[in-house]
Coordinates of all heavy atoms in Angstrom, one line a residue:
P538 N -26.9 29.6 -15.2 CA -27.3 29.6 -16.6 C -26.6 28.6 -17.4 O -26.8 28.6 -18.7 CB -27.0 31.0 -17.1 CG -25.8 31.4 -16.3 CD -26.0 30.8 -14.9
N539 N -25.8 27.7 -16.8 CA -25.1 26.7 -17.7 C -26.0 25.5 -17.9 O -26.0 24.5 -17.2 CB -23.8 26.2 -17.0 CG -22.9 25.3 -17.8 OD1 -23.4 24.8 -18.8 ND2 -21.7 25.1 -17.4
Y540 N -26.9 25.7 -18.9 CA -27.9 24.6 -19.1 C -27.4 23.4 -19.8 O -28.0 22.3 -19.8 CB -29.0 25.3 -20.0 CG -29.8 26.4 -19.4 CD1 -29.6 27.7 -19.8 CD2 -30.6 26.2 -18.3 CE1 -30.2 28.8 -19.2 CE2 -31.3 27.3 -17.7 CZ -31.1 28.6 -18.2 OH -31.7 29.6 -17.6
T541 N -26.2 23.5 -20.5 CA -25.6 22.4 -21.2 C -24.8 21.5 -20.2 O -24.5 20.4 -20.6 CB -24.7 22.9 -22.3 OG1 -23.6 23.6 -21.7 CG2 -25.4 23.8 -23.3
H542 N -24.4 22.0 -19.0 CA -23.5 21.3 -18.1 C -22.2 21.1 -18.8 O -21.5 20.1 -18.5 CB -24.1 20.0 -17.6 CG -25.1 20.2 -16.5 ND1 -25.4 19.3 -15.5 CD2 -25.9 21.3 -16.2 CE1 -26.3 19.8 -14.7 NE2 -26.6 21.0 -15.1
F543 N -21.8 22.1 -19.6 CA -20.4 22.0 -20.2 C -19.4 22.3 -19.1 O -19.6 23.1 -18.3 CB -20.3 23.1 -21.3 CG -19.0 23.3 -21.8 CD1 -18.5 22.4 -22.8 CD2 -18.1 24.4 -21.4 CE1 -17.2 22.6 -23.4 CE2 -16.9 24.5 -22.0 CZ -16.4 23.7 -22.9
K544 N -18.3 21.5 -19.1 CA -17.3 21.6 -18.1 C -15.9 21.4 -18.8 O -15.7 20.4 -19.5 CB -17.4 20.6 -17.0 CG -16.4 20.8 -15.9 CD -16.8 19.8 -14.7 CE -15.8 20.1 -13.5 NZ -16.1 19.3 -12.4
N545 N -15.0 22.4 -18.6 CA -13.7 22.4 -19.2 C -12.8 23.2 -18.3 O -13.0 24.4 -18.0 CB -13.7 23.0 -20.6 CG -12.4 23.0 -21.3 OD1 -11.5 23.7 -20.9 ND2 -12.2 22.1 -22.3
E546 N -11.7 22.5 -17.8 CA -10.8 23.2 -16.8 C -10.1 24.4 -17.3 O -10.0 25.4 -16.6 CB -9.8 22.2 -16.3 CG -10.4 21.1 -15.4 CD -9.3 20.2 -14.8 OE1 -8.1 20.4 -15.0 OE2 -9.7 19.2 -14.1
L547 N -9.7 24.3 -18.6 CA -9.0 25.5 -19.2 C -10.0 26.6 -19.3 O -9.7 27.8 -19.0 CB -8.4 25.1 -20.5 CG -7.8 26.3 -21.3 CD1 -6.7 26.9 -20.5 CD2 -7.2 25.8 -22.7
Y548 N -11.2 26.3 -19.7 CA -12.2 27.4 -19.9 C -12.5 28.0 -18.5 O -12.5 29.3 -18.5 CB -13.5 26.7 -20.4 CG -14.6 27.8 -20.7 CD1 -14.8 28.3 -22.0 CD2 -15.5 28.2 -19.7 CE1 -15.8 29.2 -22.2 CE2 -16.4 29.2 -19.9 CZ -16.6 29.7 -21.2 OH -17.5 30.6 -21.4
D549 N -12.6 27.3 -17.5 CA -12.9 27.8 -16.2 C -11.8 28.8 -15.7 O -12.0 29.8 -15.2 CB -13.1 26.7 -15.1 CG -14.4 26.0 -15.3 OD1 -15.3 26.5 -16.1 OD2 -14.6 25.0 -14.6
A550 N -10.5 28.3 -16.0 CA -9.4 29.2 -15.6 C -9.4 30.5 -16.4 O -9.1 31.6 -15.8 CB -8.1 28.4 -15.9
L551 N -9.7 30.4 -17.7 CA -9.7 31.7 -18.5 C -10.9 32.6 -18.1 O -10.7 33.8 -18.1 CB -9.9 31.3 -20.0 CG -8.7 30.6 -20.6 CD1 -9.0 30.1 -22.0 CD2 -7.4 31.5 -20.7
Y552 N -12.0 31.9 -17.7 CA -13.2 32.7 -17.3 C -12.8 33.5 -16.0 O -13.1 34.7 -15.9 CB -14.3 31.8 -17.0 CG -15.6 32.4 -16.6 CD1 -16.4 33.1 -17.6 CD2 -16.0 32.4 -15.3 CE1 -17.6 33.7 -17.2 CE2 -17.2 33.0 -14.9 CZ -18.0 33.7 -15.9 OH -19.2 34.3 -15.5
K553 N -12.2 32.8 -15.1 CA -11.8 33.5 -13.8 C -10.8 34.6 -14.1 O -10.8 35.7 -13.5 CB -11.2 32.5 -12.8 CG -12.2 31.6 -12.3 CD -11.5 30.5 -11.3 CE -12.5 29.5 -10.8 NZ -11.8 28.5 -10.0
Q554 N -9.8 34.4 -15.0 CA -8.8 35.3 -15.4 C -9.4 36.6 -16.0 O -8.9 37.7 -15.8 CB -7.8 34.7 -16.4 CG -6.6 35.6 -16.7 CD -5.7 35.0 -17.8 OE1 -5.7 33.7 -18.0 NE2 -4.9 35.8 -18.4
S555 N -10.5 36.4 -16.8 CA -11.1 37.6 -17.4 C -11.7 38.6 -16.5 O -11.8 39.8 -16.8 CB -12.2 37.1 -18.4 OG -13.4 36.6 -17.7
F556 N -12.0 38.2 -15.2 CA -12.5 39.1 -14.3 C -11.5 40.0 -13.7 O -11.8 41.1 -13.2 CB -13.2 38.3 -13.1 CG -14.6 37.8 -13.4 CD1 -14.8 36.6 -13.9 CD2 -15.7 38.7 -13.3 CE1 -16.0 36.1 -14.3 CE2 -16.9 38.2 -13.6 CZ -17.1 36.9 -14.1
T557 N -10.2 39.6 -13.7 CA -9.1 40.4 -13.2 C -8.3 41.1 -14.2 O -7.4 41.9 -13.9 CB -8.2 39.5 -12.3 OG1 -7.7 38.4 -13.1 CG2 -9.0 38.9 -11.1
E558 N -8.5 40.8 -15.5 CA -7.8 41.4 -16.6 C -8.3 42.8 -16.8 O -9.5 43.0 -17.3 CB -7.8 40.6 -17.8 CG -7.1 41.1 -19.0 CD -5.6 41.4 -18.7 OE1 -4.9 40.4 -18.5 OE2 -5.3 42.6 -18.6
T559 N -7.6 43.8 -16.6 CA -8.0 45.2 -16.7 C -7.7 45.8 -18.1 O -8.2 46.8 -18.5 CB -7.4 46.1 -15.6 OG1 -6.0 46.0 -15.6 CG2 -7.9 45.7 -14.2
N560 N -6.8 45.1 -18.8 CA -6.4 45.6 -20.2 C -7.5 45.1 -21.1 O -7.7 43.9 -21.3 CB -5.1 45.0 -20.6 CG -4.6 45.5 -22.0 OD1 -5.2 45.1 -23.0 ND2 -3.6 46.4 -22.0
T561 N -8.2 46.1 -21.8 CA -9.3 45.8 -22.6 C -9.0 44.8 -23.7 O -9.7 43.8 -24.0 CB -10.0 47.1 -23.2 OG1 -10.3 47.9 -22.1 CG2 -11.2 46.8 -24.0
K562 N -7.9 45.1 -24.4 CA -7.6 44.2 -25.6 C -7.2 42.8 -25.1 O -7.6 41.8 -25.8 CB -6.4 44.8 -26.3 CG -6.7 46.1 -27.1 CD -5.5 46.6 -27.9 CE -5.9 47.9 -28.7 NZ -4.7 48.4 -29.4
K563 N -6.5 42.6 -24.0 CA -6.2 41.3 -23.5 C -7.5 40.6 -23.1 O -7.6 39.4 -23.2 CB -5.2 41.4 -22.4 CG -3.8 41.8 -22.8 CD -2.9 41.9 -21.6 CE -1.5 42.3 -22.1 NZ -0.5 42.4 -20.9
R564 N -8.4 41.3 -22.5 CA -9.6 40.7 -22.0 C -10.5 40.2 -23.2 O -11.1 39.1 -23.1 CB -10.5 41.7 -21.2 CG -11.6 41.0 -20.4 CD -12.2 42.0 -19.4 NE -12.9 43.1 -19.9 CZ -12.5 44.3 -20.0 NH1 -11.4 44.6 -19.4 NH2 -13.3 45.3 -20.5
V565 N -10.5 41.0 -24.3 CA -11.3 40.6 -25.5 C -10.6 39.3 -26.1 O -11.4 38.4 -26.5 CB -11.3 41.7 -26.5 CG1 -11.8 41.3 -27.8 CG2 -12.2 42.9 -26.0
L566 N -9.3 39.2 -26.1 CA -8.7 38.0 -26.6 C -9.0 36.8 -25.7 O -9.2 35.7 -26.3 CB -7.2 38.2 -26.6 CG -6.6 39.2 -27.6 CD1 -5.1 39.4 -27.4 CD2 -6.9 38.6 -29.0
L567 N -9.2 37.0 -24.4 CA -9.6 35.9 -23.5 C -11.0 35.5 -23.9 O -11.3 34.3 -23.9 CB -9.5 36.3 -22.1 CG -8.2 36.4 -21.4 CD1 -8.3 37.0 -20.0 CD2 -7.5 35.1 -21.3
Y568 N -11.9 36.4 -24.2 CA -13.3 36.1 -24.5 C -13.3 35.3 -25.8 O -14.0 34.3 -25.9 CB -14.0 37.4 -24.8 CG -14.3 38.3 -23.6 CD1 -14.8 39.6 -23.8 CD2 -14.2 37.8 -22.3 CE1 -15.1 40.4 -22.7 CE2 -14.4 38.6 -21.2 CZ -14.9 39.9 -21.4 OH -15.2 40.7 -20.3
T569 N -12.5 35.7 -26.8 CA -12.5 34.9 -28.1 C -12.0 33.5 -27.9 O -12.5 32.5 -28.5 CB -11.7 35.7 -29.1 OG1 -12.2 37.0 -29.3 CG2 -11.7 34.9 -30.5
K570 N -10.9 33.4 -27.0 CA -10.3 32.1 -26.8 C -11.3 31.2 -26.1 O -11.5 30.0 -26.4 CB -9.1 32.2 -25.9 CG -8.2 31.0 -25.8 CD -6.9 31.2 -25.1 CE -6.1 30.0 -25.1 NZ -4.7 30.2 -24.4
M571 N -12.1 31.7 -25.1 CA -13.1 30.9 -24.5 C -14.2 30.5 -25.4 O -14.7 29.3 -25.4 CB -13.7 31.7 -23.3 CG -12.9 31.8 -22.1 SD -13.7 32.6 -20.7 CE -13.4 34.3 -21.1
D572 N -14.6 31.4 -26.3 CA -15.7 31.1 -27.2 C -15.2 30.0 -28.2 O -16.0 29.1 -28.6 CB -16.1 32.4 -28.0 CG -17.5 32.3 -28.6 OD1 -18.2 31.4 -28.2 OD2 -17.8 33.2 -29.4
S573 N -14.0 30.1 -28.6 CA -13.4 29.1 -29.5 C -13.3 27.7 -28.8 O -13.6 26.7 -29.5 CB -12.0 29.5 -29.9 OG -11.4 28.6 -30.8
L574 N -13.0 27.7 -27.5 CA -13.0 26.4 -26.8 C -14.4 25.8 -26.8 O -14.6 24.6 -27.0 CB -12.6 26.7 -25.3 CG -11.1 26.5 -25.0 CD1 -10.8 26.9 -23.6 CD2 -10.6 25.1 -25.2
V575 N -15.4 26.6 -26.6 CA -16.8 26.1 -26.6 C -17.1 25.5 -27.9 O -17.7 24.4 -28.0 CB -17.8 27.2 -26.2 CG1 -19.3 26.8 -26.5 CG2 -17.7 27.7 -24.8
M576 N -16.8 26.2 -29.0 CA -17.1 25.7 -30.3 C -16.4 24.5 -30.7 O -16.9 23.6 -31.4 CB -16.9 26.8 -31.4 CG -17.8 28.0 -31.2 SD -19.6 27.6 -31.0 CE -19.9 26.8 -32.6
S577 N -15.2 24.3 -30.2 CA -14.4 23.1 -30.5 C -15.0 21.9 -29.8 O -14.8 20.8 -30.3 CB -12.9 23.3 -30.1 OG -12.8 23.4 -28.6

């Protein structure tokens, strides 16, 4: 579903990390950080 072909190494690393983060608050912070990277 990546229709924009957006590519960012830090984003990819955070995305992978979010799958293994079991702490809900920490995972939500990762989500916000990734979203912020996209908007920047």
Side-chain angles (χ1 to χ4, degrees):
N539 187 343
Y540 299 109
T541 62
H542 280 207
F543 173 79
K544 186 174 183 178
N545 182 286
E546 288 185 5
L547 176 57
Y548 184 95
D549 286 353
L551 293 173
Y552 183 77
K553 290 177 182 176
Q554 184 182 342
S555 71
F556 281 94
T557 58
E558 180 55 70
T559 56
N560 182 288
T561 302
K562 289 184 178 180
K563 290 181 179 179
R564 192 169 69 255
V565 169
L566 288 175
L567 286 173
Y568 291 166
T569 304
K570 191 172 183 179
M571 282 187 277
D572 204 12
S573 181
L574 269 174
V575 171
M576 295 311 299
S577 68

